[in-house]
Amino acid sequence: DGETSMSLFNSTLHIPQAVQNIAIAYDPYKHGFVWDQLLPRYMSDHRTDNIRSIDKGQTLRLYDLRTGKGSRIQDVNYKPSDNFLFRCTDYAVEAIISGTERGEADVALKHEVRQTMQAITAMQIQQEYLTFSTLRDNTILTSGATLTAADQWDNDLSPDSFPLQDLQDACLQVMVNTGSKANRIVMHSFVLAALRRHRKTLSVFGIAPNVGAMASKAQLEEWIGCEPGAIIETAAHYNASIEGVADDFRAFIGPDVIVARVEEPNLDNYGLGVSVCFQGDNSMWGGDVPEVQGPMLVLSYFDPKADPRGAWVNRVVAAIDQKIMVPKAGYLLKAVVDGSNTAKYGTFLLS
């Protein structure tokens, strides 16, 4: 009857409130950060120091070593080259967890954890942005090419578009200059899709150009002459807009591809470069200093003046210098797809 029907929808039976076991939240770590895969971490005891180098030209010099009775034997020496001075820049951000907010926050927000992770994520975004800004600068990574519209990989019908050849040439340059195969080829997911679907790519591997046809990463790597597993796909992005303005999501790598020989820090290093990191002395801090991804410290202390009920402050600190030591160990392919095609890529590949 009418009375029963009304009771089913009687809003006084329940007042909507935040549920405790679900919340909507983007996890940036699913896409991952790759800055220290391109420039591996080197932990330094000082914020500034020199990295010594040995002159390649002297190492490869051709001597006349013929000798005979009574002749002088040629002596040789290695030659120290220019030092690479690094200066680590300090970066810091704080997450303030006030007693008032801790008491009021809904359980589903995981307020304390999420507030601290926001600071850690902000630091990761900063380092990812700085690394790609350095490596996408063709005045720093001087070996490379900028593709024209006719050459671009998403211009599939152009006779000049041949992405496998572009990558093979890049890998060849890296191998000739370093003596080792490229072991890092970083590109956006959209770019990798254009490469794997390209009609010439499919033709090389004898794959029929059907809908959804793609070449595998292993096939691509073998053909272009890099190490197995070198291709790294990334969809990591950041919000370029300031707070209060519409979101503007951009990929760190943009429409570019970075091909490189990367080596862990060692005494015979001829890789692209390193991320020199300095942690310093945090012995004065009484709070926990947990290990986090990257060369960062989380320093915790209580500030009784930050809130009427006091607040815990979690400060994330890092000191880094992204140092390119062997520019010719890298090769930069710029604008391999038309990043301005927002109908296809949104704003992600806008430079």
Side-chain angles (χ1 to χ4, degrees):
D1 57 18
E3 185 177 340
T4 302
S5 177
M6 288 182 61
S7 68
L8 294 175
F9 300 98
N10 192 333
S11 61
T12 62
L13 295 178
H14 174 71
I15 298 175
Q17 55 187 299
V19 297
Q20 298 185 13
N21 53 5
I22 185 172
I24 300 168
Y26 175 76
D27 181 1
Y29 294 89
K30 288 181 178 178
H31 281 148
F33 298 103
V34 300
W35 61 270
D36 56 355
Q37 294 186 56
L38 282 164
L39 298 177
R41 287 178 262 160
Y42 168 68
M43 303 305 299
S44 174
D45 294 331
H46 305 99
R47 264 202 327 183
T48 182
D49 257 331
N50 283 316
I51 298 174
R52 300 302 304 269
S53 68
I54 309 301
D55 186 77
K56 178 183 177 181
Q58 180 75 353
T59 300
L60 297 180
R61 193 171 308 284
L62 173 65
Y63 299 94
D64 185 353
L65 303 180
R66 290 175 295 181
T67 187
K69 185 177 180 181
S71 64
R72 178 179 178 273
I73 297 175
Q74 175 74 49
D75 64 288
V76 298
N77 295 283
Y78 74 89
K79 177 184 175 183
S81 188
D82 296 335
N83 294 327
F84 284 83
L85 178 68
F86 63 80
R87 292 189 178 93
C88 294
T89 300
D90 281 333
Y91 300 91
V93 61
E94 289 182 338
I96 299 174
I97 305 169
S98 73
T100 301
E101 291 176 344
R102 289 176 68 194
E104 287 190 326
D106 289 326
V107 172
L109 294 177
K110 299 191 299 183
H111 178 67
E112 297 172 51
V113 173
R114 203 178 298 279
Q115 187 79 331
T116 301
M117 283 305 301
Q118 181 67 28
I120 294 172
T121 300
M123 187 65 75
Q124 291 283 14
I125 288 172
Q126 173 85 98
Q127 301 313 323
E128 191 89 347
Y129 180 82
L130 290 171
T131 298
F132 278 106
S133 295
T134 299
L135 295 178
R136 293 178 63 196
D137 186 340
N138 54 17
T139 65
I140 298 174
L141 214 59
T142 51
S143 296
T146 300
L147 273 60
T148 64
D151 299 320
Q152 287 175 331
W153 299 358
D154 53 356
N155 191 356
D156 188 77
L157 297 179
S158 169
D160 297 325
S161 177
F162 193 179
L164 282 178
Q165 190 70 65
D166 296 331
L167 287 171
Q168 189 180 63
D169 290 344
C171 289
L172 184 61
Q173 287 288 335
V174 170
M175 190 275 290
V176 167
N177 281 291
T178 66
S180 301
K181 289 183 177 182
N183 58 355
R184 299 287 190 278
I185 302 176
V186 181
M187 65 186 77
H188 193 272
S189 300
F190 284 140
V191 172
L192 180 59
L195 165 62
R196 295 176 67 186
R197 294 170 178 167
H198 197 281
R199 63 185 180 87
K200 287 185 180 178
T201 301
L202 298 178
S203 176
V204 163
F205 299 114
I207 301 172
N210 300 321
V211 175
M214 282 188 175
S216 70
K217 285 185 183 180
Q219 288 175 311
L220 301 175
E221 289 165 349
E222 183 177 7
W223 200 90
I224 65 179
C226 65
E227 287 194 358
I231 294 177
I232 298 174
E233 176 184 357
T234 177
H237 51 278
Y238 64 98
N239 186 1
S241 69
I242 60 174
E243 285 194 56
V245 178
D247 292 335
D248 181 8
F249 296 117
R250 305 288 180 96
F252 296 100
I253 185 74
D256 303 339
V257 174
I258 297 169
V259 180
R261 176 66 191 182
V262 173
E263 297 182 2
E264 293 296 324
N266 65 79
L267 292 178
D268 293 292
N269 189 308
Y270 210 67
L272 179 62
V274 292
S275 295
V276 183
C277 308
F278 171 73
Q279 284 193 320
D281 180 11
N282 67 309
S283 59
M284 70 182 71
W285 297 93
D288 293 331
V289 187
E291 179 81 22
V292 294
Q293 180 187 349
M296 293 180 266
L297 295 175
V298 179
L299 312 173
S300 299
Y301 64 94
F302 187 74
D303 184 354
K305 297 182 179 180
D307 182 77
R309 294 168 179 80
W312 280 98
V313 179
N314 290 335
R315 179 183 300 170
V316 181
V317 183
I320 299 181
D321 185 6
Q322 285 88 1
K323 202 70 182 175
I324 306 301
M325 300 189 299
V326 185
K328 287 189 177 297
Y331 195 93
L332 175 62
L333 287 166
K334 292 192 70 68
V336 301
V337 299
D338 180 10
S340 65
N341 187 348
T342 54
K344 191 171 187 177
Y345 306 123
T347 61
F348 289 111
L349 301 190
L350 291 175
S351 295

